[in-house]
Amino acid sequence: SYVLTQPPSVSLAPGQTTSLTCGGNNIGSKYVHWYQQKPGQAPVLVVYTNSDRPSGVPERFSGSNSGNTATLTISRVEAGDEADYYCQVWDTDSGHVVFGGGTKLTVL
Amino acid sequence: EVQLSESGGGLVQPGGSLRLSCEASGFMFANYAMSWVRQAPGKGLEWVSVGFGSGTSSSALYADSVKGRFTVSRDNSKNTLYLQMDRLRAEDTAIYYCAKNHCSGGTCYIFDNWGQGTLVTVSS
């Protein structure tokens, strides 16, 4: 089955820029979607089809996907961005939705 | 405004059954695929099932971990999605979220709206 790999945690100071990665075999051939989940809350879609943003999501959130790595970039990180971030794809071979293990973003 | 509200969670013994409901509003429910995603305590997200259009059986897909035990169905007249969970195991303990599927770029497995979830605990 298809596996998505995310680093467990990332920490940075407010105002910095971070790139959260999501690794998978030839993930560049798939559409990748990203979700933000704050403690005690349901996930929220922040980027879909690699680089599109739903309405209401700040332009500070951007995505890219190539080769074996997809990336969610958060510019000028704010305290309110502290959350778990999950990447997700549709695996056509298995006919399953696959989530990455998630990255916990801590804003120092 | 899209709203999704899950109900039906609770404590159940191993081997037991439970039916979850997800009531939807704010969009044309019958026109959208709907999914269930779960999250075990302190763990990540795990896709469970997707239900398409109407009815049950062939109009659904399931994760390997629940195939043969869980059944998704929907009543479009009531704007409600269901998840019938049978032969429950301790490892099914999780918050169960329903989510609305969004289509873009040729894929319809994008979850653009989520409910607040309902907790299922499988324990003796």
Side-chain angles (χ1 to χ4, degrees):
Chain A
S1 60
Y2 195 75
V3 176
L4 295 175
T5 302
Q6 298 183 250
S9 62
V10 168
S11 300
L12 74 168
Q16 292 186 316
T17 294
T18 186
S19 293
L20 307 183
T21 60
C22 176
N25 184 35
N26 196 26
I27 194 174
S29 67
K30 302 178 184 300
Y31 280 124
V32 179
H33 323 298
W34 292 87
Y35 303 87
Q36 175 194 68
Q37 186 180 32
K38 297 181 180 180
Q41 298 185 18
V44 173
L45 180 68
V46 292
V47 165
Y48 64 98
T49 52
N50 299 333
S51 58
D52 293 322
R53 271 188 315 276
S55 60
V57 174
E59 291 183 4
R60 300 186 296 104
F61 289 80
S62 62
S64 63
N65 183 21
S66 179
N68 292 319
T69 304
T71 302
L72 174 68
T73 299
I74 310 174
S75 304
R76 303 180 301 282
V77 164
E78 303 172 356
D81 298 332
E82 190 164 280
D84 294 325
Y85 291 85
Y86 295 91
C87 58
Q88 176 248 310
V89 302
W90 167 253
D91 179 32
T92 54
D93 290 339
S94 64
H96 289 1
V97 170
V98 179
F99 283 98
T103 296
K104 182 177 182 60
L105 174 65
T106 300
V107 181
L108 302 171
Chain B
E1 178 192 5
V2 172
Q3 291 194 341
L4 301 171
S5 179
E6 302 94 337
S7 62
L11 175 64
V12 61
Q13 292 188 340
S17 298
L18 211 56
R19 188 176 86 153
L20 307 182
S21 301
C22 171
E23 188 170 344
S25 63
F27 65 102
M28 291 295 292
F29 180 76
N31 292 351
Y32 289 87
M34 297 289 296
S35 294
W36 290 98
V37 177
R38 69 184 181 183
Q39 187 170 35
K43 302 297 185 182
L45 301 173
E46 179 188 17
W47 173 73
V48 173
S49 176
V50 58
F52 303 99
S54 63
T56 60
S57 64
S58 61
S59 300
L61 295 172
Y62 299 93
D64 292 345
S65 57
V66 306
K67 195 170 186 178
R69 300 186 299 122
F70 290 12
T71 304
V72 66
S73 63
R74 54 193 298 163
D75 185 338
N76 290 337
S77 68
K78 295 181 179 179
N79 290 347
T80 301
L81 177 75
Y82 302 101
L83 185 66
Q84 177 66 41
M85 304 186 295
D86 299 319
R87 290 183 282 144
L88 283 160
R89 307 166 179 167
E91 54 264 36
D92 295 319
T93 294
I95 296 172
Y96 284 73
Y97 296 101
C98 72
K100 173 179 163 287
N101 287 48
H102 172 71
C103 295
S104 177
T107 178
C108 290
Y109 296 97
I110 305 167
F111 307 123
D112 65 347
N113 287 275
W114 298 62
Q116 284 305 304
T118 186
L119 177 62
V120 173
T121 303
V122 184
S123 175
S124 56

